């Protein structure tokens, strides 16, 4: 048998950081005059309702003249009755999409609604700034949900408290377990009146095309806005309200707190600031909302700040989101570029029959080499968490291109490691979320498999089997702690196990993986085993493995090479702050596989000296001192085991059709016979 040291450590370090740069969509509009980038904004600290109503005055270029918000001008136009929804981004309107829920619940069959808004009426009102180019061009989210929009770009008239401030008014943000703290689930106004607002400073001229809203994320309270106005400004003082004919347009809001609702503007509006002004809210609730803004930042060549921070890439990589067909095609392209080091295969099929494709990257694809560690990356267990999928597709391209370019680090990885990349474990869920759209799907659409199973929580509980054996002091003699078999009931046909989960288990049992990573969307943190608490009555408990020091080091090695994970200035995504452990946390699962027939045995260890004993049934055990050094690659510690005398006798006797005699048993048998004779 062979003994290996820190073989996979280098791999985890090498594959960890891969920056993704997504080019923002830009509108090809007319040239517009840019504001002075060095001018300082002057913010009034007076309450919104205390300000005097501004008189109509010329709007700063490029916007035409408009009236101020909050005045007692013409009464707002009544919203017209809704029509049935058509495809998004064809005409202004309102769209809803119910979140997916796991069985036995049912998906909502509510259809989207569209308000009858006249584009002609809006464009005829010369007080509204509009973009007269392709008014139906779709624009992406500005980034409230993704934190691209910083807390300093969000402002509100009032707020109930800090935990319900404007910075919490982000689409899909979640409240903490204790909602009455810094991490609550929405922006909530300090008062319930028509003078409340929340606004976004885009920090550059932007073509705004739509608004997506949600209510407050809360287990106990029901708060959402049922209608609102939209205003835009170039200086945050003079505001122009979106019109519907001669009156202010009232947009239909939410009817519950979680389903996102999209309202497209009748025509795009060009400005720097956009403000949402609630007009009505749930009767028994308060003014609370989460939101996302759709808009295309306009070219601004005169603004040094934006030129300096523009995100670009020189890599020839395919930066886009890929549906199932496009993902399969991209994997084929990579295979054709690097046929000598790549192999495409599938580990099974999804519930809907889509193949679960994987790419192997190695100098001998399709062949397990003794002494070469096997590593895997898995992404897309939750179908609507798409970042991991795209990272894996980018990693495939990167490894192929850099290998062809002769990058020494990549060449070493490919030649000394067998890498497996499974970019989409739940393609059914991805396709469902892809059809609905990321902003309208909510957090649940496409998360589960087609039959409603959460793959991430669908693997067998091997921890309890191990801990119970430890409590009975049966480890390691009666119950080996290096490999725990999957319970038979879990693999039965009647067990509630997704076909995707079964495919992964079979894959891991077939290939002797040394190390692996599972990429998910959400928090920016590296989690290490175990993720299951040992005390049944607790919901949170530090549960380290016997190799806790190794896993903590691996997690930190990944996080420390990431630009944001260990940045103390990074904003918390939802409620958890992982900076106290440098971007790592004890909490993920670790799935081990027994060593296959060629004698490989792996153990991840920090550098040092270890006393190792190799045992096998029918062989004499052997003990050695093994040194794990700081050199890259695996440390060899080889054992040669000789068969026991009894094993040799058995082989000889079986060869001639006879059974070996156990000498101790023979003696006991003779003693018993003598006692019977004496009696």
């Amino acid at each position: 048998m062979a003994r290996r040291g820190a073989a996979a450590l280098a791999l985890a370090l090498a594959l960890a950081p891969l920056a993704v740069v997504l080019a923002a969509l830009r509108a090809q509009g007319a040239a517009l005059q840019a504001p002075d980038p060095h001018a300082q904004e002057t913010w009034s600290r007076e309450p919104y309702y205390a300000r005097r109503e501004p008189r109509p005055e010329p709007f700063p270029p490029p916007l035409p003249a408009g009236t101020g918000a909050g005045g007692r001008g013409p009464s707002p136009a009544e919203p017209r009755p809704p029509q049935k929804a058509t495809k998004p981004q064809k005409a202004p309107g309102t769209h809803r999409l119910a979140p997916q829920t796991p069985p036995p619940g049912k998906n909502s069959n509510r259809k989207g609604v569209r308000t009858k808004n006249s584009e002609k009426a809006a464009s005829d009102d010369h007080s509204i700034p509009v973009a007269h180019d392709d008014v139906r061009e779709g624009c992406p989210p500005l980034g409230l949900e993704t934190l691209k929009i910083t807390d300093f770009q969000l402002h509100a008239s009032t707020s109930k408290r800090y935990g319900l401030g404007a910075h919490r008014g982000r689409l899909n943000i979640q409240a903490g377990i204790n909602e009455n703290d810094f991490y609550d689930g929405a922006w909530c106004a300090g008062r319930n009146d028509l003078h409340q607002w929340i606004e976004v400073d885009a920090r550059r001229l932007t073509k705004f095309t739509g608004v997506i809203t949600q209510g407050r994320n809360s287990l106990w309270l029901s708060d959402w806005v049922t209608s609102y106005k939209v205003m835009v400004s170039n200086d945050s003082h003079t505001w122009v309200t979106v019109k519907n004919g001669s009156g202010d347009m009232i947009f239909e809001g939410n009817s519950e707190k979680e389903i996102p609702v999209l309202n497209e503007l009748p025509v795009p509006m060009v400005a720097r600031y956009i403000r949402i002004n609630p007009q009505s809210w749930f009767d028994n609730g308060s003014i609370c909302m989460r939101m996302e803004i759709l808009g295309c930042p306009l070219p601004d060549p005169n603004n040094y700040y934006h030129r300096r921070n523009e995100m670009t890439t020189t890599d020839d990589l395919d930066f886009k989101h890929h549906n199932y067909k496009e993902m399969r095609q991209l994997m084929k392209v990579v295979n054709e570029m690097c046929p000598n080091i790549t192999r495409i295969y599938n580990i099974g099929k999804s519930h809907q029959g889509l193949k679960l494709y994987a790419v192997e990257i190695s100098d001998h694809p399709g062949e397990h080499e003794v002494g070469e560690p096997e590593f895997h990356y898995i992404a897309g267990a939750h179908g609507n968490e798409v970042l991991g999928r795209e990272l894996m597709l980018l990693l495939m391209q990167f490894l192929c291109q850099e290998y062809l370019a002769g990058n020494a680090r990549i060449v070493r990885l490919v030649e000394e490691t067998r890498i497996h990349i499974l970019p989409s474990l739940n393609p059914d869920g991805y396709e469902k979320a892809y059809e609905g759209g990321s902003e309208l799907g909510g957090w649940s659409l496409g998360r589960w498999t087609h039959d409603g199973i959460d793959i991430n929580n669908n693997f067998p509980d091997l921890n309890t089997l191990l801990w119970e054996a430890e409590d009975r002091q049966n480890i390691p003699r009666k119950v080996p702690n290096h490999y725990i078999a999957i319970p038979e009931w879990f693999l039965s046909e009647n067990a509630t196990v997704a076909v995707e989960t079964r495919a992964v288990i079979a894959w891991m049992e077939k290939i002797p993986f040394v190390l692996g990573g599972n990429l998910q969307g959400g928090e920016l943190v590296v989690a290490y085993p175990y993720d299951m608490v040992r005390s049944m009555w607790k919901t949170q408990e530090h549960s380290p493995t016997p190799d806790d020091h190794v896993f903590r080091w691996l997690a930190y090695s990944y996080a420390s090479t990431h630009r944001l994970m260990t940045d103390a200035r990074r904003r918390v995504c939802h409620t958890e702050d992982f900076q106290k452990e440098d971007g790592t946390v004890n909490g993920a699962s670790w799935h081990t596989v027994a060593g296959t027939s060629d004698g490989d045995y792996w153990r991840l260890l920090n550098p040092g000296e270890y006393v190792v004993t190799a045992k096998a049934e029918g062989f004499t055990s052997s003990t050695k001192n093994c040194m794990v050094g700081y050199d890259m690659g695996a440390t060899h510690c080889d054992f040669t085991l000789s068969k026991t005398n009894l094993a040799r006798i058995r082989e000889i006797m079986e060869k001639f059709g006879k059974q070996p005699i156990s000498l101790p048993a023979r003696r006991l048998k003779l003693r018993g016979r003598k006692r019977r004779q004496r009696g």
Side-chain angles (χ1 to χ4, degrees):
M1 297 178 68
R3 172 79 174 139
R4 304 293 186 261
L9 304 185
L11 179 66
L13 290 174
L15 297 185
L18 180 64
V20 179
V21 184
L22 300 178
L25 299 179
R26 292 176 171 273
Q28 301 298 325
L32 299 173
Q33 180 177 345
D36 182 4
H38 301 290
Q40 298 294 321
E41 291 293 334
T42 304
W43 286 86
S44 172
R45 296 188 177 275
E46 294 180 339
Y48 178 79
Y49 58 84
R51 300 179 190 173
R52 296 184 60 185
E53 177 182 339
R55 292 177 298 175
E57 59 185 25
F59 201 70
L63 303 183
T67 57
R72 298 180 178 272
S75 59
E78 293 294 329
R80 300 188 182 185
Q83 291 182 332
K84 291 185 178 180
T86 57
K87 292 184 178 180
Q89 300 180 349
K90 295 298 183 183
T94 305
H95 309 276
R96 289 185 177 86
L97 191 58
Q100 178 189 3
T101 54
K106 297 182 179 179
N107 292 342
S108 171
N109 57 2
R110 288 184 57 183
K111 295 183 179 179
V113 296
R114 181 182 299 279
T115 55
K116 275 189 176 180
N117 302 324
S118 171
E119 178 180 325
K120 180 177 184 300
S123 61
D124 286 344
D125 190 335
H126 297 291
S127 64
I128 298 180
V130 299
H132 291 286
D133 53 347
D134 183 9
V135 297
R136 288 294 152 234
E137 177 185 356
C139 285
L142 291 186
L144 275 78
E145 181 179 10
T146 63
L147 303 181
K148 185 177 180 181
I149 296 295
T150 69
D151 290 350
F152 300 103
Q153 294 175 258
L154 300 174
H155 306 276
S157 53
T158 61
S159 60
K160 285 188 175 181
R161 50 185 169 78
Y162 178 79
L164 293 168
H167 64 290
R168 302 298 293 177
R170 301 173 181 270
L171 191 73
N172 288 324
I173 204 166
Q174 299 173 20
I177 298 177
N178 300 315
E179 296 180 13
N180 194 22
D181 58 13
F182 286 163
Y183 306 110
D184 219 316
W187 161 69
C188 290
R191 293 177 293 275
N192 291 335
D193 57 46
L194 299 181
H195 302 291
Q196 305 305 310
W197 49 262
I198 180 172
E199 72 182 32
V200 179
D201 176 8
R203 290 184 174 171
R204 66 189 299 175
L205 287 178
T206 302
K207 183 172 73 173
F208 298 115
T209 60
V211 177
I212 303 173
T213 59
Q214 281 176 311
R216 177 180 179 180
N217 177 254
S218 172
L219 293 175
W220 321 111
L221 302 174
S222 298
D223 299 320
W224 60 82
V225 170
T226 57
S227 67
Y228 58 89
K229 296 181 182 180
V230 176
M231 309 171 187
V232 294
S233 172
N234 256 5
D235 60 3
S236 78
H237 294 288
T238 304
W239 292 88
V240 174
T241 305
V242 176
K243 301 289 184 181
N244 183 15
S246 60
D248 294 345
M249 184 169 182
I250 305 296
F251 292 90
E252 181 181 355
N254 299 84
S255 58
E256 57 89 73
K257 54 189 175 185
E258 288 298 337
I259 300 178
V261 175
L262 164 65
N263 276 293
E264 294 174 316
L265 304 186
V267 289
M269 310 287 287
V270 176
R272 171 175 170 174
Y273 302 88
I274 186 169
R275 176 178 286 184
I276 309 301
N277 173 216
Q279 296 296 295
S280 61
W281 45 94
F282 181 56
D283 290 341
N284 297 324
S286 303
I287 296 178
C288 296
M289 65 189 312
R290 295 172 285 168
M291 67 176 186
E292 180 63 87
I293 304 296
L294 305 184
C296 296
L298 299 182
D300 192 1
N302 298 320
N303 194 322
Y304 169 75
Y305 173 84
H306 293 296
R307 290 203 315 272
R308 182 186 62 185
N309 291 276
E310 196 68 40
M311 302 180 72
T312 58
T313 178
T314 58
D315 293 321
D316 185 20
L317 301 176
D318 191 18
F319 286 100
K320 57 172 288 187
H321 286 281
H322 300 79
N323 60 22
Y324 181 79
K325 183 178 180 180
E326 294 167 338
M327 177 189 72
R328 184 177 57 188
Q329 179 61 30
L330 179 58
M331 297 169 78
K332 182 179 178 182
V333 169
V334 172
N335 178 245
E336 291 173 350
M337 288 178 59
C338 299
N340 295 330
I341 63 168
T342 61
R343 177 176 71 99
I344 301 175
Y345 65 99
N346 72 81
I347 68 169
K349 292 184 178 181
S350 69
H351 188 276
Q352 292 291 88
L354 299 179
K355 292 182 179 179
L356 306 178
Y357 284 109
V359 168
E360 175 192 342
I361 303 177
S362 173
D363 57 344
H364 294 89
E367 177 184 346
H368 172 74
E369 299 180 70
V370 177
E372 185 169 292
E374 307 257 3
F375 177 89
H376 71 77
Y377 262 139
I378 297 177
H382 294 152
N384 61 352
E385 295 175 1
V386 301
L387 179 59
R389 175 185 184 137
E390 299 306 327
L391 282 173
M392 293 298 96
L393 295 177
L394 288 169
L395 179 59
M396 294 176 194
Q397 301 173 69
F398 178 80
L399 292 175
C400 172
Q401 294 179 14
E402 293 301 303
Y403 181 85
L404 294 177
N407 184 318
R409 184 189 188 200
I410 302 304
V411 170
R412 179 179 57 80
L413 276 175
V414 172
E415 292 182 351
E416 298 182 7
T417 314
R418 192 179 181 206
I419 305 167
H420 303 259
I421 299 176
L422 180 65
S424 184
L425 181 55
N426 184 6
D428 295 348
Y430 181 97
E431 294 301 301
K432 182 176 293 186
Y434 181 85
E435 294 173 0
S438 60
E439 273 64 47
L440 294 183
W443 69 271
S444 61
L445 184 69
R447 178 182 178 88
W448 298 285
T449 63
H450 184 78
D451 50 344
I453 296 176
D454 186 341
I455 297 177
N456 195 50
N457 299 322
N458 194 222
F459 289 88
D461 171 20
L462 304 183
N463 295 38
T464 300
L465 299 177
L466 175 66
W467 292 332
E468 288 179 351
E470 288 180 349
D471 293 339
R472 293 193 299 266
Q473 298 182 347
N474 289 338
I475 286 180
R477 188 169 183 177
K478 295 183 179 179
V479 180
N481 59 1
H482 68 282
Y483 172 69
I484 302 176
I486 305 294
E488 293 184 5
W489 64 265
F490 186 87
L491 299 176
S492 66
E493 294 183 0
N494 297 328
T496 307
V497 181
V499 292
E500 296 86 351
T501 306
R502 296 179 188 272
V504 170
I505 292 176
W507 183 44
M508 290 184 172
E509 290 184 330
K510 181 179 180 181
I511 301 176
F513 290 115
V514 179
L515 192 65
N518 180 21
L519 279 72
Q520 297 186 2
E523 299 285 3
L524 192 61
V525 66
V526 181
Y528 55 89
Y530 292 121
D531 70 331
M532 180 178 176
V533 296
R534 188 161 185 168
S535 304
M536 296 180 60
W537 60 90
K538 292 184 178 180
T539 58
Q540 291 181 329
E541 182 183 44
H542 184 70
S543 302
T545 70
D547 297 313
D548 185 61
H549 58 291
V550 175
F551 285 107
R552 290 172 66 93
W553 184 82
L554 284 171
Y556 178 74
S557 298
Y558 188 112
S560 62
T561 54
H562 192 283
R563 291 182 60 188
L564 294 177
M565 280 190 178
T566 53
D567 186 354
R569 299 168 297 176
R570 176 174 63 87
R571 185 194 184 281
V572 174
C573 181
H574 290 297
T575 64
E576 296 289 338
D577 186 2
F578 301 106
Q579 294 307 313
K580 59 185 179 181
E581 293 190 38
D582 296 316
T584 68
V585 66
N586 169 258
S589 300
W590 180 37
H591 305 288
T592 61
V593 179
T596 58
S597 57
D598 52 23
D600 280 34
Y601 177 79
W602 301 86
R603 180 72 181 273
L604 302 178
L605 296 169
N606 286 336
E609 182 176 355
Y610 298 87
V611 178
V612 182
T613 300
K615 297 180 180 179
E617 184 177 356
F619 292 82
T620 303
S621 63
S622 176
T623 301
K624 283 186 179 182
N625 289 338
C626 298
M627 291 294 300
V628 178
Y630 290 89
D631 296 336
M632 299 300 292
T635 298
H636 286 252
C637 192
D638 297 329
F639 293 82
T640 301
L641 304 184
S642 57
K643 293 183 179 179
T644 62
N645 292 333
L646 181 59
R648 290 178 179 176
I649 293 173
R650 282 176 175 167
E651 286 184 357
I652 295 173
M653 298 294 287
E654 289 175 359
K655 184 177 181 180
F656 295 99
K658 297 181 179 181
Q659 295 297 322
I661 299 174
S662 175
L663 296 180
R666 177 68 172 174
R667 292 194 189 100
L668 291 174
K669 189 174 183 180
L670 291 174
R671 289 175 185 173
R673 184 179 300 172
K674 290 180 180 179
R675 282 196 295 267
R676 287 193 297 271
Q677 290 175 353
R678 292 172 184 172

